[in-house]
Amino acid sequence: GRLWPCAQADDGFTDMPEAPGTAIEEHVTPTPTVGFLCYSAAVDQPMRGNPLLTGTLWHLTTQMEQVTFSLYVNGFRFASDASPDREVCHSLTPFSLVRNCNFPAESNHRDLDNYKMFKLSFLARNQFFYFGVAIGGGSVGEAERARSNWVVSISDAMRIVTLSLFPPFHISCQPVVHVPSTRTRLVAGYLIHNDDQTTLSVLYCELHGHRKACAEMVVYEN
């Protein structure tokens, strides 16, 4: 199948400046294939286009480290302001998640009260990044709005990456004429399957109504 250029990481969350869908439209236009579509989900793929959003964040490892963070249409990169040569670059995938997070008062990171934190998760790799917006001399409300801007912008980029993998289709709830096996289906359409840490597949799936306490899900190769 065709490969999806996505982005390398050590360890490791509005308004979008513009609608970035066109930045990847040319690359992801599907072509006729035999079998199902396969894409690369490797994290060391290059960033595409110009940054959508760039700013200062604080990265949590064993301590808080100030970094310059840039969000791209298909991933992000950041580097410590103290060591700009140690850059981390990472692609986004459909199995990424970004959300606000709080640390319990009894945690080892008591100084985190001075930050509004968010968490970037890469579920297939069990990999996590924690970033924070410093409250500093500003108000708590300003820091929360800045965090919300980052979280929503990253979430929008994840959505764009996910949608770019699907071929043109409509979810169907009707059986296919002259195909008896589709008479009991409830819904049919494409789903993305995480094959392993570096590969994704786009499969056409069909969910059927339950019978004898079981429901059948059919996955097509083409």
Side-chain angles (χ1 to χ4, degrees):
R2 294 159 59 246
L3 296 183
W4 162 45
C6 305
Q8 153 183 10
D10 287 19
D11 158 22
F13 225 9
T14 297
D15 296 326
M16 295 295 285
E18 59 186 47
T22 54
I24 54 177
E25 181 177 345
E26 179 181 353
H27 176 77
V28 300
T29 300
T31 55
T33 60
V34 177
F36 53 82
L37 294 170
C38 258
Y39 296 91
S40 169
V43 300
D44 59 348
Q45 301 188 44
M47 298 293 97
R48 296 180 63 82
N50 296 319
L52 303 175
L53 187 61
T54 298
T56 297
L57 290 174
W58 290 82
H59 178 222
L60 174 62
T61 52
T62 55
Q63 60 184 7
M64 294 298 285
E65 180 181 45
Q66 185 172 308
V67 300
T68 298
F69 186 102
S70 295
L71 174 65
Y72 292 79
V73 71
N74 68 317
F76 61 89
R77 70 172 78 239
F78 66 90
S80 166
D81 291 354
S83 305
D85 54 319
R86 293 191 298 108
E87 184 178 70
V88 174
C89 190
H90 204 297
S91 294
L92 297 172
T93 81
F95 297 94
S96 310
L97 178 67
V98 60
R99 62 181 178 85
N100 295 345
C101 68
N102 295 301
F103 289 85
E106 62 274 13
S107 72
N108 295 326
H109 302 286
R110 304 199 171 203
D111 55 335
L112 295 183
D113 290 343
N114 298 319
Y115 303 89
K116 289 299 177 180
M117 303 295 297
F118 63 90
K119 178 181 180 182
L120 254 170
S121 306
F122 293 87
L123 307 178
R125 294 175 167 270
N126 196 32
Q127 183 180 32
F128 310 95
F129 295 88
Y130 292 91
F131 294 100
V133 176
I135 296 174
S139 69
V140 173
E142 288 175 352
E144 288 179 340
R145 285 190 291 273
R147 174 177 66 176
S148 178
N149 183 59
W150 280 108
V151 169
V152 172
S153 297
I154 294 170
S155 179
D156 285 346
M158 291 176 178
R159 178 179 55 84
I160 291 164
V161 167
T162 300
L163 293 177
S164 75
L165 304 186
F166 291 106
F169 81 103
H170 296 284
I171 292 176
S172 175
C173 298
Q174 301 297 324
V176 178
V177 179
H178 307 308
V179 182
S181 63
T182 65
R183 288 175 182 170
T184 60
R185 78 178 183 183
L186 301 175
V187 62
Y190 283 97
L191 294 176
I192 299 175
H193 179 262
N194 184 74
D195 298 343
D196 53 43
Q197 291 189 355
T198 60
T199 310
L200 303 172
S201 298
V202 180
L203 307 172
Y204 194 82
C205 302
E206 188 177 76
L207 178 64
H208 290 257
H210 72 279
R211 182 182 180 187
K212 295 182 179 180
C214 292
E216 183 180 56
M217 184 171 181
V218 179
V219 178
Y220 291 86
E221 288 190 353
N222 54 51

